[in-house]
C-alpha cells in the first residue's frame, strides 16, 4: 500500500524521513494500506515538481504534491489528523528484521 511505499522510500542509504499530508474522503486504513492500482510516488526537487504536475495535467493524469522529504521521522497525516509518527531508523529495523525474526530458532 501507499504507506509501505513511502516508508521504503525513506530506507535508502541516508534513511531520510518524510512529512506527508493526505486529503481523501476514504477510510484512513484503506488509504494507507489498500492496494489501489496505478499509484506512483515520485520524489523530486521542489523546483521540478511544477514541471511534473504540468506534464501530468497535459497527459490527463491525476497528480498532486503530498509532502516533503527530510528529517528523522516518517510523519503522515490524513485529513488534518496525525496517524503515523515513527523514527525512520525504528521503522527500518522492523522492516529489515521482520522475516529473519520469524525464522529465528527459539
Amino acid at each position: 500500500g501507499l504507506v509501505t511505499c513511502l516508508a521504503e522510500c525513506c530506507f535508502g542509504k541516508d534513511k531520510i524521513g518524510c512529512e506527508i499530508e493526505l486529503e481523501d474522503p476514504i477510510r484512513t486504513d484503506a488509504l494507507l494500506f489498500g492496494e489501489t492500482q496505478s499509484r506512483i510516488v515520485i520524489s523530486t526537487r521542489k523546483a521540478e515538481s511544477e514541471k511534473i504536475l504540468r506534464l501530468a495535467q497535459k497527459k490527463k493524469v491525476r497528480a498532486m504534491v503530498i509532502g516533503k522529504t527530510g528529517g528523522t521521522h516518517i510523519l503522515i497525516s490524513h485529513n488534518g489528523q496525525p496517524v503515523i509518527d515513527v523514527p525512520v531508523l525504528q521503522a527500518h529495523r522492523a522492516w529489515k528484521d521482520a522475516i529473519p525474526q520469524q525464522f529465528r530458532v527459539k
Side-chain angles (χ1 to χ4, degrees), residues 16-27:
I16 297 173
C18 64
E19 187 171 336
I20 307 298
E21 293 281 338
L22 302 170
E23 298 290 331
D24 203 297
I26 68 173
R27 288 187 348 239

Side-chain angles (χ1 to χ4, degrees), residues 25-96:
I26 68 173
R27 288 187 348 239
T28 301
D29 61 332
L31 176 62
L32 296 180
F33 298 102
E35 295 291 334
T36 305
Q37 296 180 358
S38 301
R39 284 192 181 162
I40 299 171
V41 173
I42 299 172
S43 296
T44 186
R45 296 185 190 287
K46 191 174 186 176
E48 298 297 317
S49 64
E50 285 301 317
K51 291 179 187 176
I52 292 169
L53 292 172
R54 281 194 304 274
L55 177 61
Q57 184 177 24
K58 180 180 175 182
K59 298 293 184 177
K60 296 181 174 46
V61 173
R62 184 175 170 219
M64 66 192 78
V65 175
I66 62 170
K68 62 183 180 178
T69 59
T72 60
H73 283 235
I74 299 170
L75 301 167
I76 301 176
S77 296
H78 181 219
N79 295 330
Q81 298 296 314
V83 292
I84 294 176
D85 180 353
V86 63
V88 175
L89 293 177
Q90 180 183 344
H92 181 258
R93 271 192 306 276
W95 173 79
K96 183 178 149 233

